[in-house]
Amino acid sequence: MTMTNAIHRPDWIPASGHQLRVAGVHFDAVRIQGVRGELVAERIIEVTDGDAGPIVCEAVGFRWMYFLLAPGEVRKHSWPLGVQRFGGKGDRTITYIGIPALDGNTWPLRWYSEPTPTAPFVDPGLLGAEAARRG
């Protein structure tokens, strides 16, 4: 018997709580604020039948949505206005992204969509198209 939704926990996801990880090492990140980010995330989850890849949501402040892409992907694409990108070679600044554990108390962060074996990262082409539609 195979488990279709077996727990997939890459080594950059903490076992408990949440930890900061440097963007551009284990993943690149695209950040979209508030309702726009939620709409983009919901659409990607819908289009991928719930297998959207890793999306982290902040519960406080600007309520940022962080879409995690494979390392090196953020610089290969152009992004619409209002979309912030983190990671990639040549960045002069180091950005830390908060990553929650898969369960337990991770406030103020939570998974909006978890990484899976079939979607270890968000598809950058799909993300860019949906971000542009919601711009």
Side-chain angles (χ1 to χ4, degrees):
M1 181 172 131
T2 57
M3 297 275 295
T4 53
N5 58 350
I7 293 176
H8 176 70
R9 189 173 75 79
D11 62 2
W12 46 267
I13 296 179
S16 63
H18 52 79
Q19 292 184 342
L20 297 175
R21 299 287 189 236
V22 177
V25 176
H26 301 287
F27 54 80
D28 286 356
V30 168
R31 181 169 85 168
I32 304 174
Q33 187 176 333
V35 172
R36 180 184 181 194
E38 290 174 18
L39 291 171
V40 170
E42 288 170 10
R43 181 68 181 143
I44 292 172
I45 290 166
E46 180 184 320
V47 168
T48 60
D49 282 332
D51 201 18
I55 304 170
V56 175
C57 176
E58 284 184 348
V60 295
F62 291 109
R63 298 182 49 171
W64 294 108
M65 298 291 281
Y66 292 86
F67 300 82
L68 306 185
L69 312 178
E73 283 296 318
V74 80
R75 288 202 174 273
K76 293 180 184 176
H77 303 271
S78 59
W79 302 98
L81 286 175
V83 172
Q84 297 175 323
R85 61 185 198 174
F86 305 103
K89 303 288 182 224
D91 273 1
R92 290 195 173 102
T93 58
I94 295 175
T95 303
Y96 292 88
I97 307 293
I99 302 296
L102 293 175
D103 53 24
N105 182 5
T106 62
W107 192 90
L109 303 173
R110 70 177 177 88
W111 288 103
Y112 207 84
S113 173
E114 295 177 0
T116 65
T118 52
F121 299 103
V122 173
D123 178 289
L126 181 57
L127 173 59
E130 289 303 324
R133 279 186 60 211
R134 304 286 175 191

